[in-house]
Amino acid sequence: MSVQQDAYDLLQQRAFVAQLASIEIAMVQQMVAEPSWLTSEDEATLRWALSMARVSQVVSDETRPHSAIDVGHATDMFRQKLHKLLAPCVGTSMVVRRDVVPKQMKAISKLLTEERAALLSLYGTRMSPEALDRAVRKRPLALALGGGGGTGYVFLGAMMELDEAGLVPDVIAGSSMGAILGAFRAITPHFHVEEMRKLISSLSWSRVFRLFERKSRFGIPATLSLYLREVIGHEFEREEGFLALKDLSIPLRVVVAGLKGTDEENALDLDRYAHLLDDTAENPLNMRKRAGSILKTVVDFARQPIKRITLGLTEQSQTFDVLDAIGFSASVPGMIHYDIERNDPRMLDLVEGIMAQEGVSRFFDGGFADNLPGLDAWYAAQDGSICQRDPFVLTLDSFAPQISRHILFLPLMRLAAERSKEGRAVSDLNIEYKKVLSPIHVVPKAEAFVRAVKNGRNETKPHIPFIRKMVGPIPEPPCLKSS
């Protein structure tokens, strides 16, 4: 069990947390669908009460984000009473009973006022009214980007929609292609897709990939070697050198899979994957003809003892070069190989140290460990990396199984879906994109890139009002203005 999962499970053990989270989503969806359903005063009161119910920690000093007051079970009774008031408003089907909610607002207002006063009295000088209200008023946005090769370019359209709506991710987690695109988003507070378009237009398959010719040290041998530093390194380079994860403007977590044990202990003959798909080197479309070999390779590794490793989670791994982190996360066994081939003693020692500490011998595609890292996105906000807790987790999935599209990759999509259950469970909103490029279009043509971005925008746009309302800020309700 991971430290992230342990923390999430502990939070869910508090009374009525999951039930009230579901009620909040249903209520906010109704508010978005019918803005005039409640008065502005009642809406603020209801939102504030539901938001207070999910607060687990309060950061009392924004200059010390790692220092937070653990509310723990102090609000158990409040959640129990709030759930009792709201359960009749939704029933077991979570369909909002619009006429019932207003009848409960007087009791909810009274309960909210009493709970806020009780918390401030309980924690005394340790918790100021401003700190508590700040934790309730606004939620951080935790963004998780899944893997899926060329299908992931729709995420760029999603990022554009979020940015134009003023929704800047507070933390990002990514696997495979999601890690690569997440790294580009994390460089600056605001997103500029035009720079990505120019970069993609300058790339070609032969520039990004070359036939595997060297001995593999940390990665899994594969037909094509990924040369990130040569083709996109300038995007992650500054005067002082290449960016590490800790240098990014937005905290980034990169998921990689670790092959447990030493090379001698593993049953796999890794060298057999070095030239498995050599006939795809010149023409990636040949991968369609090798779908059977690709699937067998994926299954081979899916059956191996794998450990999920989150780069950026620890202080040690935050010094990992961004390019190396996303390179390992995007290295698909048998297809794409990544390794540290330059003379870089610091990074070589760092990788060897992390591998020894985690008990793994190789790094490879993060999707094998978790193809939708919603839990990592949640924990990145919860572990003190930012000045808030209890995020709204938005997961973007471009590789969900689709019977009508990319039929050759359907078995792979189903395997990835098995590695995505945890992320979907943690997510407050999971968007499964329908109109995506083929997974093999990792270096798309200009028109395909534009189409992917447009599709991403179109499929994300309907969700923006809901995301904005869930993130906040929530107006202060009348019952608290005089308290």
Side-chain angles (χ1 to χ4, degrees):
M1 189 71 70
S2 67
V3 63
Q4 301 99 310
Q5 188 67 60
D6 285 342
Y8 185 76
D9 290 344
L10 186 63
L11 188 63
Q12 296 302 300
Q13 290 173 13
R14 298 189 306 158
F16 297 103
V17 166
Q19 296 93 325
L20 287 171
S22 296
I23 290 174
E24 181 180 22
I25 288 173
M27 292 289 182
V28 172
Q29 287 174 337
Q30 183 64 42
M31 293 170 189
V32 171
E34 191 177 353
S36 60
W37 164 49
L38 292 173
T39 65
S40 58
E41 292 81 4
D42 283 351
E43 179 177 318
T45 300
L46 180 57
R47 291 293 320 284
W48 200 278
L50 285 165
S51 186
M52 182 174 285
R54 54 94 187 150
V55 170
S56 65
Q57 295 181 341
V58 175
V59 178
S60 57
D61 184 353
E62 289 189 288
T63 65
R64 299 169 60 227
H66 285 279
S67 177
I69 300 168
D70 190 349
V71 175
H73 293 282
T75 55
D76 278 355
M77 188 60 67
F78 168 69
R79 290 193 303 278
Q80 181 176 340
K81 292 178 180 178
L82 183 61
H83 183 264
K84 186 175 182 180
L85 289 170
L86 289 175
C89 300
V90 293
T92 57
S93 60
M94 285 296 155
V95 175
V96 177
R97 297 172 179 171
R98 298 165 55 261
D99 57 329
V100 178
V101 177
K103 299 175 183 178
Q104 303 289 65
M105 290 312 304
K106 184 176 181 180
I108 292 173
S109 178
K110 181 174 184 293
L111 177 64
L112 172 61
T113 305
E114 293 174 348
E115 177 64 14
R116 181 176 181 273
L119 283 174
L120 293 175
S121 175
L122 176 65
Y123 290 99
T125 57
R126 293 177 57 207
M127 182 189 294
S128 68
E130 294 77 17
L132 175 58
D133 291 347
R134 186 170 57 244
V136 176
R137 181 178 291 110
K138 197 173 187 303
R139 298 177 71 173
L141 175 59
L143 179 63
L145 306 175
T151 67
Y153 282 109
V154 293
F155 298 158
L156 299 176
M159 294 174 192
M160 288 183 68
E161 287 295 320
L162 291 170
D163 196 70
E164 290 177 7
L167 295 164
V168 177
D170 292 276
V171 292
I172 301 173
S175 286
S176 197
M177 178 59 88
I180 293 176
L181 299 176
F184 275 99
R185 179 61 190 88
I187 293 175
T188 58
H190 295 286
F191 184 62
H192 306 288
V193 76
E194 180 60 21
E195 295 177 8
M196 280 290 295
R197 186 195 65 76
K198 291 178 180 177
L199 176 63
I200 295 297
S201 66
S202 70
L203 301 181
S204 66
W205 183 265
S206 60
R207 282 193 66 202
V208 177
F209 299 107
R210 302 175 198 170
L211 276 175
F212 177 82
E213 295 175 345
R214 303 183 183 181
K215 183 176 177 58
S216 178
R217 182 172 182 177
F218 301 122
I220 302 291
T223 292
L224 302 171
S225 290
L226 179 59
Y227 283 80
L228 286 182
R229 197 166 293 260
E230 286 81 350
V231 294
I232 64 171
H234 58 280
E235 299 288 338
F236 296 89
E237 188 175 15
R238 302 294 182 266
E239 288 185 5
E240 58 274 18
F242 287 97
L243 296 177
L245 291 173
K246 64 181 178 62
D247 300 322
L248 294 169
S249 294
I250 300 174
L252 176 68
R253 302 288 184 267
V254 175
V255 177
V256 298
L259 189 61
K260 289 185 178 180
T262 65
D263 282 350
E264 291 73 21
E265 294 170 335
N266 292 320
L268 288 169
D269 175 15
L270 297 180
D271 289 338
R272 69 181 293 267
Y273 299 102
H275 302 285
L276 186 69
L277 305 173
D278 278 4
D279 58 343
T280 68
E282 297 298 329
N283 185 2
L285 295 179
N286 286 336
M287 287 186 184
R288 299 180 187 276
K289 303 175 183 178
R290 304 300 302 276
S293 297
I294 293 172
L295 177 59
K296 183 180 183 305
T297 302
V298 170
V299 171
D300 283 348
F301 281 88
R303 290 174 175 170
Q304 297 307 307
I306 294 171
K307 185 168 187 179
R308 166 222 199 103
I309 299 169
T310 305
L311 300 176
L313 174 65
T314 64
E315 185 174 346
Q316 178 190 31
S317 66
Q318 284 176 5
T319 64
F320 221 94
D321 274 15
V322 174
L323 289 166
D324 293 326
I326 62 179
F328 283 122
S329 186
S331 56
V332 185
M335 296 174 62
I336 300 173
H337 167 262
Y338 185 83
D339 225 316
I340 300 175
E341 299 179 353
R342 65 192 184 277
N343 182 22
D344 187 343
R346 184 191 70 83
M347 273 303 302
L348 294 174
D349 289 346
L350 178 61
V351 173
E352 287 179 343
I354 292 176
M355 282 186 163
Q357 181 179 324
E358 299 290 346
V360 301
S361 59
R362 301 280 172 153
F363 284 156
F364 60 103
D365 192 301
F368 282 79
D370 186 348
N371 202 54
L372 192 65
L375 184 61
D376 285 286
W378 173 82
Y379 192 74
Q382 206 69 12
D383 69 358
S385 296
I386 58 175
C387 295
Q388 292 175 284
R389 302 291 191 272
D390 307 293
F392 175 83
V393 178
L394 172 62
T395 54
L396 306 185
D397 187 358
S398 63
F399 207 57
Q402 297 186 47
I403 301 295
S404 60
R405 296 174 65 86
H406 313 305
I407 191 69
L408 289 176
F409 292 92
L410 187 58
L412 304 184
M413 289 177 168
R414 286 173 173 162
L415 283 171
E418 286 296 311
R419 299 292 196 272
S420 302
K421 290 181 178 179
E422 196 176 67
R424 288 194 296 272
V426 173
S427 177
D428 292 295
L429 173 64
N430 179 48
I431 304 177
E432 292 185 359
Y433 292 90
K434 306 300 181 186
K435 295 182 179 181
V436 296
L437 301 182
S438 168
I440 66 175
H441 287 161
V442 292
V443 187
K445 300 293 185 182
E447 61 273 16
F449 176 85
V450 172
R451 185 169 68 252
V453 172
K454 180 180 179 181
N455 291 340
R457 295 195 68 153
N458 289 341
E459 294 190 47
T460 305
K461 188 182 291 290
H463 301 284
I464 292 297
F466 171 73
I467 299 170
R468 184 190 287 118
K469 194 171 280 287
M470 286 293 290
V471 169
I474 305 170
E476 188 175 19
C479 61
L480 299 185
K481 289 183 177 178
S482 59
S483 61

